[in-house]
Amino acid sequence: MAIPTLDTFQVIGDPSRRKMLMLLSEDSLTINSLADNFDMSRPAVSKHVKILETAGFISIKDRGRERYCTLKKDGFEELQAWLNYFDQFWTTKLRNLENLLNSKLPN
């Protein structure tokens, strides 16, 4: 089964994947350990994990017979860049409004 290529917001738009990211923010977990936190099949969890890996949010390392998932910053960097753009946008707009209001105030 082919794993769909999703953009960053499609990846984090799924509540199960967001919960997986939150769980992995506490510690690296095996895919089986992740699956224990969800009411879905192991193959469904594996599909979500593969999507997170493809998008750069996690890495998967084999240790013995287990596969461990660990957060990775690549996917978050794309998300942060998008947020930073709008943070700068609103900062500039609010600064311009402040300047306009200050220029209208009586001295």
Side-chain angles (χ1 to χ4, degrees):
M1 173 181 357
I3 300 297
T5 302
L6 304 175
D7 73 27
T8 300
F9 289 97
Q10 290 172 309
V11 172
I12 65 167
D14 184 276
S16 296
R17 289 192 288 267
R18 286 195 309 271
K19 183 176 178 182
M20 288 177 186
L21 293 173
M22 292 303 293
L23 290 167
L24 291 170
S25 72
E26 297 172 15
D27 198 8
S28 295
L29 296 171
T30 65
I31 295 174
N32 286 329
S33 295
L34 269 176
D36 290 342
N37 292 281
F38 297 92
D39 187 25
M40 66 176 81
S41 68
R42 168 80 165 61
V45 170
S46 291
K47 184 176 178 180
H48 285 295
V49 165
K50 187 66 177 167
I51 289 169
L52 290 169
E53 180 187 33
T54 301
F57 283 94
I58 66 170
S59 63
I60 300 173
K61 302 268 192 267
D62 293 333
R63 287 190 224 151
R65 295 177 6 165
E66 296 287 350
R67 302 186 77 210
Y68 281 83
C69 303
T70 305
L71 283 185
K72 193 174 148 188
K73 68 179 193 169
D74 298 2
F76 294 99
E77 287 174 341
E78 182 180 344
L79 180 60
Q80 189 63 52
W82 192 87
L83 291 170
N84 286 343
Y85 172 83
F86 286 98
D87 187 42
Q88 183 60 43
F89 170 84
W90 287 111
T91 298
T92 301
K93 293 291 185 189
L94 290 171
R95 189 176 304 119
N96 290 343
L97 176 61
E98 179 182 33
N99 291 339
L100 176 67
L101 292 173
N102 286 337
S103 72
K104 300 291 184 185
L105 290 174
N107 289 332

mmCIF file of all heavy atoms in Angstrom, residues 77-99:
data_model
loop_
_atom_site.group_PDB
_atom_site.id
_atom_site.type_symbol
_atom_site.label_atom_id
_atom_site.label_comp_id
_atom_site.label_asym_id
_atom_site.label_seq_id
_atom_site.Cartn_x
_atom_site.Cartn_y
_atom_site.Cartn_z
ATOM 1 N N GLU A 77 10.388 22.224 11.370
ATOM 2 C CA GLU A 77 11.019 23.422 10.809
ATOM 3 C C GLU A 77 10.153 24.035 9.717
ATOM 4 O O GLU A 77 10.015 25.253 9.641
ATOM 5 C CB GLU A 77 12.410 23.079 10.266
ATOM 6 C CG GLU A 77 13.421 22.846 11.364
ATOM 7 C CD GLU A 77 14.774 22.376 10.858
ATOM 8 O OE1 GLU A 77 14.869 21.887 9.710
ATOM 9 O OE2 GLU A 77 15.742 22.493 11.636
ATOM 10 N N GLU A 78 9.545 23.201 8.876
ATOM 11 C CA GLU A 78 8.647 23.720 7.841
ATOM 12 C C GLU A 78 7.444 24.404 8.476
ATOM 13 O O GLU A 78 7.025 25.480 8.066
ATOM 14 C CB GLU A 78 8.195 22.593 6.920
ATOM 15 C CG GLU A 78 7.310 23.072 5.797
ATOM 16 C CD GLU A 78 6.861 21.948 4.866
ATOM 17 O OE1 GLU A 78 7.448 20.858 4.902
ATOM 18 O OE2 GLU A 78 5.904 22.197 4.115
ATOM 19 N N LEU A 79 6.903 23.783 9.500
ATOM 20 C CA LEU A 79 5.770 24.349 10.228
ATOM 21 C C LEU A 79 6.164 25.672 10.884
ATOM 22 O O LEU A 79 5.446 26.666 10.795
ATOM 23 C CB LEU A 79 5.293 23.350 11.274
ATOM 24 C CG LEU A 79 4.121 23.733 12.147
ATOM 25 C CD1 LEU A 79 2.885 24.016 11.312
ATOM 26 C CD2 LEU A 79 3.842 22.631 13.153
ATOM 27 N N GLN A 80 7.332 25.701 11.517
ATOM 28 C CA GLN A 80 7.804 26.917 12.186
ATOM 29 C C GLN A 80 8.034 28.049 11.187
ATOM 30 O O GLN A 80 7.724 29.203 11.473
ATOM 31 C CB GLN A 80 9.087 26.634 12.967
ATOM 32 C CG GLN A 80 9.521 27.780 13.849
ATOM 33 C CD GLN A 80 8.501 28.097 14.930
ATOM 34 O OE1 GLN A 80 8.087 27.228 15.664
ATOM 35 N NE2 GLN A 80 8.090 29.345 15.026
ATOM 36 N N ALA A 81 8.569 27.724 10.012
ATOM 37 C CA ALA A 81 8.794 28.753 8.986
ATOM 38 C C ALA A 81 7.474 29.384 8.559
ATOM 39 O O ALA A 81 7.378 30.603 8.390
ATOM 40 C CB ALA A 81 9.518 28.155 7.785
ATOM 41 N N TRP A 82 6.453 28.570 8.409
ATOM 42 C CA TRP A 82 5.146 29.082 8.020
ATOM 43 C C TRP A 82 4.574 29.984 9.113
ATOM 44 O O TRP A 82 4.071 31.071 8.839
ATOM 45 C CB TRP A 82 4.203 27.909 7.752
ATOM 46 C CG TRP A 82 2.924 28.291 7.089
ATOM 47 C CD1 TRP A 82 2.700 28.404 5.749
ATOM 48 C CD2 TRP A 82 1.682 28.621 7.734
ATOM 49 N NE1 TRP A 82 1.396 28.773 5.521
ATOM 50 C CE2 TRP A 82 0.748 28.907 6.722
ATOM 51 C CE3 TRP A 82 1.284 28.684 9.061
ATOM 52 C CZ2 TRP A 82 -0.566 29.258 7.002
ATOM 53 C CZ3 TRP A 82 -0.027 29.040 9.333
ATOM 54 C CH2 TRP A 82 -0.937 29.324 8.314
ATOM 55 N N LEU A 83 4.689 29.540 10.360
ATOM 56 C CA LEU A 83 4.200 30.342 11.481
ATOM 57 C C LEU A 83 4.989 31.640 11.625
ATOM 58 O O LEU A 83 4.412 32.696 11.916
ATOM 59 C CB LEU A 83 4.263 29.535 12.781
ATOM 60 C CG LEU A 83 3.293 28.369 12.878
ATOM 61 C CD1 LEU A 83 3.623 27.509 14.083
ATOM 62 C CD2 LEU A 83 1.860 28.854 12.930
ATOM 63 N N ASN A 84 6.303 31.571 11.434
ATOM 64 C CA ASN A 84 7.140 32.770 11.538
ATOM 65 C C ASN A 84 6.745 33.824 10.510
ATOM 66 O O ASN A 84 6.782 35.020 10.799
ATOM 67 C CB ASN A 84 8.620 32.423 11.376
ATOM 68 C CG ASN A 84 9.181 31.738 12.591
ATOM 69 O OD1 ASN A 84 8.610 31.776 13.676
ATOM 70 N ND2 ASN A 84 10.321 31.077 12.409
ATOM 71 N N TYR A 85 6.381 33.385 9.307
ATOM 72 C CA TYR A 85 5.957 34.324 8.275
ATOM 73 C C TYR A 85 4.766 35.147 8.762
ATOM 74 O O TYR A 85 4.756 36.376 8.674
ATOM 75 C CB TYR A 85 5.587 33.579 6.982
ATOM 76 C CG TYR A 85 4.959 34.488 5.960
ATOM 77 C CD1 TYR A 85 5.758 35.270 5.124
ATOM 78 C CD2 TYR A 85 3.578 34.606 5.859
ATOM 79 C CE1 TYR A 85 5.186 36.133 4.206
ATOM 80 C CE2 TYR A 85 2.991 35.467 4.944
ATOM 81 C CZ TYR A 85 3.794 36.231 4.115
ATOM 82 O OH TYR A 85 3.224 37.091 3.217
ATOM 83 N N PHE A 86 3.774 34.469 9.322
ATOM 84 C CA PHE A 86 2.584 35.183 9.774
ATOM 85 C C PHE A 86 2.819 35.930 11.082
ATOM 86 O O PHE A 86 2.199 36.967 11.328
ATOM 87 C CB PHE A 86 1.378 34.241 9.857
ATOM 88 C CG PHE A 86 0.870 33.908 8.489
ATOM 89 C CD1 PHE A 86 1.232 32.727 7.878
ATOM 90 C CD2 PHE A 86 0.089 34.813 7.786
ATOM 91 C CE1 PHE A 86 0.792 32.437 6.591
ATOM 92 C CE2 PHE A 86 -0.348 34.546 6.504
ATOM 93 C CZ PHE A 86 0.011 33.348 5.900
ATOM 94 N N ASP A 87 3.716 35.453 11.896
ATOM 95 C CA ASP A 87 4.099 36.193 13.097
ATOM 96 C C ASP A 87 4.700 37.539 12.690
ATOM 97 O O ASP A 87 4.327 38.583 13.221
ATOM 98 C CB ASP A 87 5.093 35.378 13.917
ATOM 99 C CG ASP A 87 5.390 36.011 15.253
ATOM 100 O OD1 ASP A 87 4.448 36.499 15.920
ATOM 101 O OD2 ASP A 87 6.573 36.016 15.639
ATOM 102 N N GLN A 88 5.602 37.514 11.713
ATOM 103 C CA GLN A 88 6.212 38.751 11.211
ATOM 104 C C GLN A 88 5.169 39.637 10.538
ATOM 105 O O GLN A 88 5.179 40.851 10.704
ATOM 106 C CB GLN A 88 7.344 38.421 10.220
ATOM 107 C CG GLN A 88 8.067 39.653 9.706
ATOM 108 C CD GLN A 88 8.710 40.458 10.825
ATOM 109 O OE1 GLN A 88 9.316 39.902 11.721
ATOM 110 N NE2 GLN A 88 8.551 41.766 10.791
ATOM 111 N N PHE A 89 4.265 39.037 9.782
ATOM 112 C CA PHE A 89 3.185 39.782 9.120
ATOM 113 C C PHE A 89 2.388 40.584 10.144
ATOM 114 O O PHE A 89 2.186 41.786 9.996
ATOM 115 C CB PHE A 89 2.271 38.804 8.365
ATOM 116 C CG PHE A 89 1.014 39.422 7.842
ATOM 117 C CD1 PHE A 89 1.019 40.091 6.624
ATOM 118 C CD2 PHE A 89 -0.173 39.334 8.551
ATOM 119 C CE1 PHE A 89 -0.148 40.670 6.131
ATOM 120 C CE2 PHE A 89 -1.338 39.908 8.069
ATOM 121 C CZ PHE A 89 -1.333 40.575 6.856
ATOM 122 N N TRP A 90 1.934 39.916 11.215
ATOM 123 C CA TRP A 90 1.107 40.593 12.214
ATOM 124 C C TRP A 90 1.914 41.578 13.048
ATOM 125 O O TRP A 90 1.397 42.644 13.420
ATOM 126 C CB TRP A 90 0.377 39.587 13.104
ATOM 127 C CG TRP A 90 -0.739 38.935 12.336
ATOM 128 C CD1 TRP A 90 -0.809 37.643 11.933
ATOM 129 C CD2 TRP A 90 -1.910 39.581 11.824
ATOM 130 N NE1 TRP A 90 -1.961 37.438 11.216
ATOM 131 C CE2 TRP A 90 -2.664 38.610 11.127
ATOM 132 C CE3 TRP A 90 -2.400 40.885 11.876
ATOM 133 C CZ2 TRP A 90 -3.868 38.891 10.497
ATOM 134 C CZ3 TRP A 90 -3.613 41.164 11.260
ATOM 135 C CH2 TRP A 90 -4.324 40.175 10.578
ATOM 136 N N THR A 91 3.156 41.277 13.311
ATOM 137 C CA THR A 91 4.002 42.220 14.044
ATOM 138 C C THR A 91 4.136 43.521 13.260
ATOM 139 O O THR A 91 4.016 44.615 13.822
ATOM 140 C CB THR A 91 5.396 41.608 14.311
ATOM 141 O OG1 THR A 91 5.214 40.440 15.122
ATOM 142 C CG2 THR A 91 6.315 42.581 15.012
ATOM 143 N N THR A 92 4.352 43.407 11.957
ATOM 144 C CA THR A 92 4.479 44.596 11.103
ATOM 145 C C THR A 92 3.171 45.375 11.065
ATOM 146 O O THR A 92 3.167 46.608 11.188
ATOM 147 C CB THR A 92 4.901 44.182 9.675
ATOM 148 O OG1 THR A 92 6.144 43.502 9.752
ATOM 149 C CG2 THR A 92 5.015 45.385 8.764
ATOM 150 N N LYS A 93 2.051 44.676 10.893
ATOM 151 C CA LYS A 93 0.738 45.351 10.848
ATOM 152 C C LYS A 93 0.450 46.081 12.168
ATOM 153 O O LYS A 93 -0.012 47.228 12.157
ATOM 154 C CB LYS A 93 -0.382 44.344 10.570
ATOM 155 C CG LYS A 93 -0.339 43.734 9.205
ATOM 156 C CD LYS A 93 -0.664 44.745 8.147
ATOM 157 C CE LYS A 93 -0.728 44.078 6.799
ATOM 158 N NZ LYS A 93 -0.841 45.022 5.708
ATOM 159 N N LEU A 94 0.733 45.434 13.279
ATOM 160 C CA LEU A 94 0.464 46.062 14.576
ATOM 161 C C LEU A 94 1.407 47.232 14.833
ATOM 162 O O LEU A 94 0.998 48.249 15.417
ATOM 163 C CB LEU A 94 0.553 45.024 15.691
ATOM 164 C CG LEU A 94 -0.576 43.993 15.685
ATOM 165 C CD1 LEU A 94 -0.288 42.886 16.688
ATOM 166 C CD2 LEU A 94 -1.925 44.645 15.959
ATOM 167 N N ARG A 95 2.659 47.112 14.400
ATOM 168 C CA ARG A 95 3.604 48.221 14.537
ATOM 169 C C ARG A 95 3.135 49.421 13.705
ATOM 170 O O ARG A 95 3.178 50.566 14.158
ATOM 171 C CB ARG A 95 5.005 47.795 14.111
ATOM 172 C CG ARG A 95 6.061 48.842 14.443
ATOM 173 C CD ARG A 95 7.485 48.398 14.103
ATOM 174 N NE ARG A 95 7.825 47.145 14.772
ATOM 175 C CZ ARG A 95 8.162 46.015 14.138
ATOM 176 N NH1 ARG A 95 8.194 45.958 12.824
ATOM 177 N NH2 ARG A 95 8.450 44.941 14.824
ATOM 178 N N ASN A 96 2.652 49.165 12.498
ATOM 179 C CA ASN A 96 2.134 50.245 11.655
ATOM 180 C C ASN A 96 0.910 50.896 12.284
ATOM 181 O O ASN A 96 0.764 52.127 12.248
ATOM 182 C CB ASN A 96 1.791 49.718 10.257
ATOM 183 C CG ASN A 96 3.010 49.347 9.452
ATOM 184 O OD1 ASN A 96 4.130 49.752 9.772
ATOM 185 N ND2 ASN A 96 2.819 48.565 8.396
ATOM 186 N N LEU A 97 0.036 50.105 12.870
ATOM 187 C CA LEU A 97 -1.135 50.649 13.553
ATOM 188 C C LEU A 97 -0.703 51.491 14.745
ATOM 189 O O LEU A 97 -1.225 52.596 14.958
ATOM 190 C CB LEU A 97 -2.062 49.519 14.007
ATOM 191 C CG LEU A 97 -3.285 49.943 14.813
ATOM 192 C CD1 LEU A 97 -4.189 50.875 14.005
ATOM 193 C CD2 LEU A 97 -4.057 48.711 15.285
ATOM 194 N N GLU A 98 0.256 51.002 15.513
ATOM 195 C CA GLU A 98 0.761 51.758 16.658
ATOM 196 C C GLU A 98 1.343 53.101 16.211
ATOM 197 O O GLU A 98 1.057 54.145 16.810
ATOM 198 C CB GLU A 98 1.834 50.944 17.383
ATOM 199 C CG GLU A 98 2.426 51.673 18.584
ATOM 200 C CD GLU A 98 3.521 50.865 19.249
ATOM 201 O OE1 GLU A 98 4.251 50.135 18.545
ATOM 202 O OE2 GLU A 98 3.653 50.984 20.469
ATOM 203 N N ASN A 99 2.117 53.085 15.143
ATOM 204 C CA ASN A 99 2.702 54.320 14.627
ATOM 205 C C ASN A 99 1.615 55.280 14.163
ATOM 206 O O ASN A 99 1.711 56.496 14.413
ATOM 207 C CB ASN A 99 3.684 54.031 13.482
ATOM 208 C CG ASN A 99 4.930 53.323 13.957
ATOM 209 O OD1 ASN A 99 5.281 53.375 15.137
ATOM 210 N ND2 ASN A 99 5.593 52.645 13.044
#
